[in-house]
Amino acid sequence: MLSGIATTVVPAFGRLTVTADPGAGFAPGSVIVANHTSLADPAIVLAALHRLGVRPVVMATAGLWRIPALGRLLEREGHIPVHRGTRRAAEALDTAAAALDEGRLVLIYGEGRLPQRKDAAEAAPGPFRSGLSRLVRATGAGVIPLGQAGARRIVSGSRTKQLAGLATAPLRRPRLHVHVGARTQVAGDMAAVTAHARQAVTRAWETAARRLGEPLAGHA
């Protein structure tokens, strides 16, 4: 249902296009890793994946579960709350590992946070947190990199700017693009897994940004 809602809502706020590398696919029990740039991009990513016939389990900040209607929907569909900075943080990885073992696709944001920049330009993915590498090393799951661009044209910057962007997006309908890279099997220590995954997501993001002709704020 969450993917269906995203598919219905996103076209009202922007013009979404989706591409994939040759041979890209969604093998059961894989981790989809996306770049995180805006409060709008989760809906965009879900809408893009829905077009491709994919409805992943999403790992997201536990605060979303405190929003009454959204929280009930997230709980009902089996998405995974991440209690950052608490003793419960590891529970999310255990739940994700179980979902992968069942053949589900798990969507995770490697950066685990939004950028602090106030402008609407695109920039390369920031440093990845350790959760992704721990999950991949524990399960042996393959990684499917996903890059998205254009979401910052809907929502970015200060709270006032975000509200203004959201209010005007249905009139502006900025271009949005999601690119899915080929699945890769990542091995090595935590640093190697993290570096490999970030490079793959960066390549997917570069493809998405080039599709839009977006100015880039610089590579990390």
Side-chain angles (χ1 to χ4, degrees), residues 7 13 36 46 61-62 80 83 95 102 107 113 115 118 131 155 161 182 207 216 218:
T7 300
F13 290 86
H36 199 14
L46 286 177
T61 179
I80 303 170
H83 298 268
T95 305
E102 294 170 359
L107 171 63
R113 69 186 76 185
K118 302 300 183 184
V155 175
K161 186 178 177 183
T207 300
L216 309 182

Side-chain angles (χ1 to χ4, degrees), residues 33-188:
V33 188
N35 64 311
H36 199 14
T37 63
S38 164
L39 291 172
D41 67 58
I44 293 165
V45 169
L46 286 177
L49 290 173
H50 192 263
R51 285 192 188 182
L52 299 172
V54 176
R55 295 165 183 79
V57 174
V58 182
M59 298 183 70
T61 179
L64 295 176
W65 272 253
R66 292 195 291 270
I67 302 173
L70 178 59
R72 287 194 296 271
L73 185 58
L74 292 168
E75 181 71 25
R76 185 171 65 193
E77 296 194 356
H79 298 294
I80 303 170
V82 181
H83 298 268
R84 298 191 183 103
T86 73
R87 294 180 180 178
R88 299 182 61 190
E91 293 178 7
L93 296 180
D94 293 338
T95 305
L100 292 169
D101 188 56
E102 294 170 359
R104 302 292 303 274
L105 291 157
V106 174
L107 171 63
I108 185 172
Y109 285 94
E111 297 146 288
R113 69 186 76 185
L114 290 169
Q116 298 300 308
R117 301 184 351 264
K118 302 300 183 184
D119 64 290
E122 291 292 325
F128 278 16
R129 294 191 174 187
S130 63
L132 169 63
S133 60
R134 286 187 284 159
L135 180 60
V136 168
R137 282 168 53 82
T139 62
V143 169
I144 301 171
L146 183 151
Q148 59 79 27
R152 292 183 66 80
R153 296 294 180 183
I154 297 178
V155 175
S156 62
S158 66
R159 184 180 297 272
T160 300
K161 186 178 177 183
Q162 289 180 32
L163 292 173
L166 192 63
T168 61
L171 297 175
R172 296 180 289 112
R173 299 192 69 244
R175 294 175 62 209
L176 316 166
H177 193 85
V178 169
H179 182 79
V180 180
R183 181 178 181 273
T184 181
Q185 203 69 38
V186 185

